[in-house]
Amino acid sequence: DDGDRFSPLMLEALEAQADALELLEVEGLGRHALAAMQRASVADGTSPTAFATHFTFLYTRAMDSHAAARLAAYQLARPADPSLSAYHATLQNKSAPALLQRGRTLNAEVEMMRTSSNGVGATSLLFTSRDEAQDAATSAFVKSLVLDPTNGDAWHDLGTSLFFAGEMAEAELVYARGLQHAPSHEGLLAEAKKARA
């Protein structure tokens, strides 16, 4: 009987998580998704899934102080969780995959700002300007590459980010440098071909 396995708070947390995931699918509803994640965390502070979803959302949007607070609360609730060290490493920007995801998430925010009617507004949870969000995305890609310089996706994403920021010359240099580190990356090869044309 599932009623014996799931308390009302656990069920509330699961429902709030489902709401958050649905809201994340709709552009511009990040604030509402965050509120649903917060409801899930309050309802069941010991849920690894609710924590992981909430923490990842906060971290990838450069909301580090909020991610740190969520991590501290979860650590108090589940001090023996073996994944805690990985979350601490992520928060200290020592995870290349997490930094790459942060850069991609922030680039998506930049794109939403670029295409929204007012430039920022409801599209960003943290940044007041596109330039500020663009700088944060670029920083995340650079930090990712410091940790893993052979990641062709990170080089390509950094170059593309710079290109859309209007930094054409820098983007070409990044693509070329990335090709030195990841010579078989299809996106970097395509950019090299464009540069030769």
Side-chain angles (χ1 to χ4, degrees), residues 75-131:
Q75 187 166 353
L76 283 174
R78 302 228 13 188
D81 187 322
S83 65
L84 287 171
S85 62
Y87 288 111
H88 281 286
T90 295
L91 199 53
Q92 295 166 359
N93 293 325
K94 293 181 179 177
S95 169
L99 285 160
L100 178 59
Q101 185 57 46
R102 175 185 264 196
R104 287 175 170 171
T105 301
L106 294 175
N107 258 356
E109 285 207 17
V110 170
E111 179 60 22
M112 283 192 295
M113 289 177 185
R114 187 180 3 261
T115 59
S116 75
S117 60
N118 64 0
V120 285
T123 59
S124 180
L125 294 170
L126 180 66
F127 301 104
T128 57
S129 75
R130 241 181 29 213
D131 289 342

Side-chain angles (χ1 to χ4, degrees), residues 155-171:
W155 284 106
H156 187 262
D157 289 353
L158 174 59
T160 303
S161 180
L162 291 168
F163 176 84
F164 282 108
E167 304 289 339
M168 310 307 185
E170 266 190 78

Side-chain angles (χ1 to χ4, degrees), residues 12-22 36-37 40 47 49-51 53:
E12 183 181 335
L14 289 169
E15 185 177 317
Q17 275 183 268
D19 291 347
L21 293 174
E22 286 179 25
M37 286 178 225
S47 168
T49 306
F51 165 72
T53 303

